[in-house]
Amino acid sequence: MKKVFISQPMAGKKLVDIEAERCHISSILEEVGFELINNIDSVEPKTDGSKLISQAVNIIKMSLADYIYFMPGWESARGCRIEHTIAKEYNKKIIYNLNEIIGDDK
């Protein structure tokens, strides 16, 4: 099964809001055969030190993925930009738009 990591802007958001944004996308990805790598458990860091730890954990999880899906707004989020740079440098398959993998019928 193809594994996918979702890079999602999270700064300043509550866990419930992050999960709500991700719910629809996750179900579509699973429907077309992707296995999701959970990276929500390291959300809501309070200090710069814990933000860096959270980012490091996400990079480790991202390393397990075959694909990285960048949610809208990723360009404005520091963590997502870091993940994007790493994904490109390590030749991960990048998805910017779900239609790239499912077509226009969803």
Side-chain angles (χ1 to χ4, degrees):
M1 183 174 276
K2 303 171 287 193
K3 293 183 180 181
V4 64
F5 176 95
I6 299 173
S7 183
Q8 175 182 12
M10 297 182 182
K13 297 179 183 177
K14 295 182 184 273
L15 182 57
V16 67
D17 297 326
I18 291 167
E19 289 173 336
E21 288 177 356
R22 182 177 290 232
C23 184
H24 178 68
I25 289 166
S26 297
S27 64
I28 291 172
L29 288 167
E30 288 175 334
E31 187 177 307
V32 296
F34 283 91
E35 177 184 341
L36 299 173
I37 295 174
N38 180 22
N39 60 323
I40 291 195
D41 54 353
S42 56
V43 173
E44 297 190 73
K46 302 297 182 208
T47 66
D48 284 340
S50 61
K51 289 177 185 178
L52 185 55
I53 291 168
S54 179
Q55 185 74 64
V57 168
N58 280 339
I59 291 167
I60 291 168
K61 290 179 177 186
M62 194 173 87
S63 74
L64 304 172
D66 302 305
Y67 292 80
I68 315 298
Y69 172 65
F70 287 89
M71 288 182 68
W74 71 266
E75 304 95 329
S76 303
R78 178 180 56 186
C80 294
R81 290 192 313 269
I82 291 167
E83 291 163 358
H84 188 263
T85 298
I86 291 168
K88 288 185 73 82
E89 289 291 325
Y90 286 90
N91 298 312
K92 293 290 185 178
K93 295 172 187 137
I94 296 174
I95 303 166
Y96 298 106
N97 183 327
L98 289 180
N99 289 333
E100 295 172 28
I101 58 167
I102 62 171
D104 293 323
D105 58 334
K106 293 272 179 208

